[in-house]
């Protein structure tokens, strides 16, 4: 098991995929990843990084299709940094301490097929999230165990979603028209 990210990895500019999940990597998420602009897969999930906000350098990885940052101590807002990553098809930010999603940050994620935001502290209206994603081709949205509120309107969605609202607090009944 790794306890740190090997720095030599950041000199591999043509690298397409990095999976460092399920290690014991500690400290700050290295900004050296920003030099790997060819990456289309990055999974840093389930490591022991220091609590932080979503790193701003992620926006440099504009070819990224898969981003796994589950259980790494992310805090605060679902950042506009993620909103600028329009190539993403899979996004896993589960098991962190994210609290807010700015709906505008979701609107450019129209290639997204799967998004997992479960087990965070997101305290927003679910309708704002689904309306922001209404023009996208999302197939799976997991928002389990958050603090979402408000009604859910199926009409806002372009395609059928697999929605997981189990144990989500304060969620009003589903509406369909």
């Amino acid at each position: 098991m790794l306890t740190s990210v090997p720095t030599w990895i950041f000199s591999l500019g043509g690298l397409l995929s990095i999976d460092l999940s399920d290690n014991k990597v500690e400290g700050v998420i290295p900004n050296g990843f920003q030099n790997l602009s060819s990456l289309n897969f990055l999974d840093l999930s389930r490591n022991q990084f220091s609590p932080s906000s979503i790193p701003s350098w992620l926006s440099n990885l504009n070819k990224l299709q898969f981003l796994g940052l589950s259980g790494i101590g992310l805090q605060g807002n679902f950042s506009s940094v993620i909103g600028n990553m329009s190539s993403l098809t899979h996004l896993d930010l589960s098991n962190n301490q994210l609290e807010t999603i700015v709906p505008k940050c979701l609107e450019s994620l129209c290639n997204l097929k799967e998004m997992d935001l479960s087990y965070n502290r997101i305290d927003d209206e679910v309708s704002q999230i689904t309306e922001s994603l209404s023009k996208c081709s999302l197939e799976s949205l997991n928002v389990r165990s958050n603090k979402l509120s408000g009604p859910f309107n199926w009409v806002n969605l372009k395609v059928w979603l697999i929605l997981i609202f189990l144990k989500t607090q304060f969620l009003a009944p589903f509406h369909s028209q």
Side-chain angles (χ1 to χ4, degrees), residues 53-62 67 75-88 91 93 98 100-109:
S53 58
I54 296 173
S56 60
W57 52 258
L58 277 172
S59 63
N60 294 344
L61 304 179
N62 57 7
L67 179 59
Q75 300 175 334
N77 297 339
F78 182 100
S79 170
S80 59
V81 170
I82 298 289
N84 292 331
M85 302 179 78
S86 58
S87 296
L88 283 178
L91 176 61
L93 298 174
L98 297 174
T100 304
I101 296 177
V102 178
K104 280 269 188 220
C105 294
L106 299 174
E107 291 177 358
S108 65
L109 297 177

Side-chain angles (χ1 to χ4, degrees), residues 2-140:
L2 293 174
T3 57
S4 64
V5 178
T7 54
W8 56 264
I9 206 167
F10 303 130
S11 65
L12 303 174
L15 200 59
L16 299 176
S17 177
I18 297 178
D19 187 346
L20 295 175
S21 62
D22 297 305
N23 278 286
K24 293 189 178 192
V25 179
E26 299 175 329
V28 177
I29 301 171
N31 63 4
F33 287 108
Q34 70 183 330
N35 301 327
L36 304 175
S37 58
S38 296
L39 276 182
N40 59 36
F41 183 100
L42 177 61
D43 196 349
L44 302 176
S45 299
R46 295 169 303 281
N47 278 289
Q48 298 170 357
F49 292 111
S50 303
S52 68
S53 58
I54 296 173
S56 60
W57 52 258
L58 277 172
S59 63
N60 294 344
L61 304 179
N62 57 7
K63 295 180 183 174
L64 211 56
Q65 295 175 347
F66 181 100
L67 179 59
L69 299 176
S70 175
I72 63 167
L74 294 176
Q75 300 175 334
N77 297 339
F78 182 100
S79 170
S80 59
V81 170
I82 298 289
N84 292 331
M85 302 179 78
S86 58
S87 296
L88 283 178
T89 58
H90 295 78
L91 176 61
D92 187 354
L93 298 174
S94 63
N95 296 294
N96 284 294
Q97 291 96 40
L98 297 174
E99 297 172 357
T100 304
I101 296 177
V102 178
K104 280 269 188 220
C105 294
L106 299 174
E107 291 177 358
S108 65
L109 297 177
C110 284
N111 288 317
L112 207 56
K113 301 289 183 205
E114 296 180 24
M115 182 164 60
D116 190 344
L117 301 173
S118 63
Y119 298 97
N120 276 285
R121 298 176 182 165
I122 299 170
D123 189 9
D124 290 315
E125 291 221 7
V126 69
S127 61
Q128 292 178 342
I129 296 170
T130 57
E131 285 172 20
S132 297
L133 295 167
S134 65
K135 296 177 183 162
C136 300
S137 55
L138 193 66
E139 296 170 2
S140 174

